[in-house]
Amino acid sequence: MPAIPLPVGQKPPLPTLPRCFAHRGGGRLAPENTLAGIRLAARLGVRAVEFDVMLSGEGTPLLIHDETLERTTNGRGRVAETPDRILFSLDAGGEPLPRFVDAARLCRELGLLANIEIKPAAGVEIETGRVVAALADSLWRDAPKPLLSSFSPLALEAARDVAPALPCGWLVDCPPDDWPRQLARLEAQTLHCALAGVSREVLSKARILGVPLLVYTVNDEKVAKRLFAAGVSAVFTDCPDLVGRF
């Protein structure tokens, strides 16, 4: 079904952003990008989680960060070249690799805001953006919307075209000088950058333009408090057990 475009110039409403997102599901306290991690974050009182979604060799969206399997599973090879029957039989730290659809349903069940990082393998940026956004739009159709994000402008553009009602954030390590122009071109509403990429100039521009700035990966409560005092909207953390102190 084709997407119903928003009126020209109108962007989808942003969800209310909690100050902290558990990075890759449960941070360092659980196997990354797993349902166990998401459940743990919820038990700790975290209100939002971030996780990575890539396509399998059969085009199935699943939670994994790397393009290869070796670091986080007992498998070998490229995710984008591996069939589902193998992927979903692997051990990802005592947990199976989750399908995106199952992670989405769990977030809804637990009342968690999801930041879905579209993590395309090389060469399938557009397809990944389209598939992930279309499925997210369907899975959250009657619920508060998740936030999509990606380092890939191609993936974000594809996601925007397929699901214009979903808010998007642009991920960068260090914001370029013309980041407001690029953000506007992508029709993204939030800017996500590495801790090392936060500067007075970026903070000032974001404040003037009213753009929420989200920073990764912040694991020190003093640093988090300084960022919030400077105007940062939210942080991604590997320490969801410390979220109450941030």
Side-chain angles (χ1 to χ4, degrees), residues 15 113-116 136-137 140 143-148 166-168:
L113 169 64
N115 178 182
I116 303 155
D137 194 36
W140 274 274
K145 303 304 182 188
L147 176 63
L148 304 179
L166 295 183
C168 292

Side-chain angles (χ1 to χ4, degrees), residues 109-157:
E109 175 189 325
L110 297 173
L112 297 172
L113 169 64
N115 178 182
I116 303 155
E117 181 178 341
I118 303 171
K119 183 73 74 170
V124 289
E125 291 85 358
I126 293 173
E127 180 185 0
T128 306
R130 286 174 177 165
V131 171
V132 174
L135 187 52
D137 194 36
S138 174
L139 291 167
W140 274 274
R141 185 169 299 281
D142 59 347
K145 303 304 182 188
L147 176 63
L148 304 179
S149 64
S150 187
F151 282 98
S152 168
L154 287 175
L156 280 181
E157 289 168 344

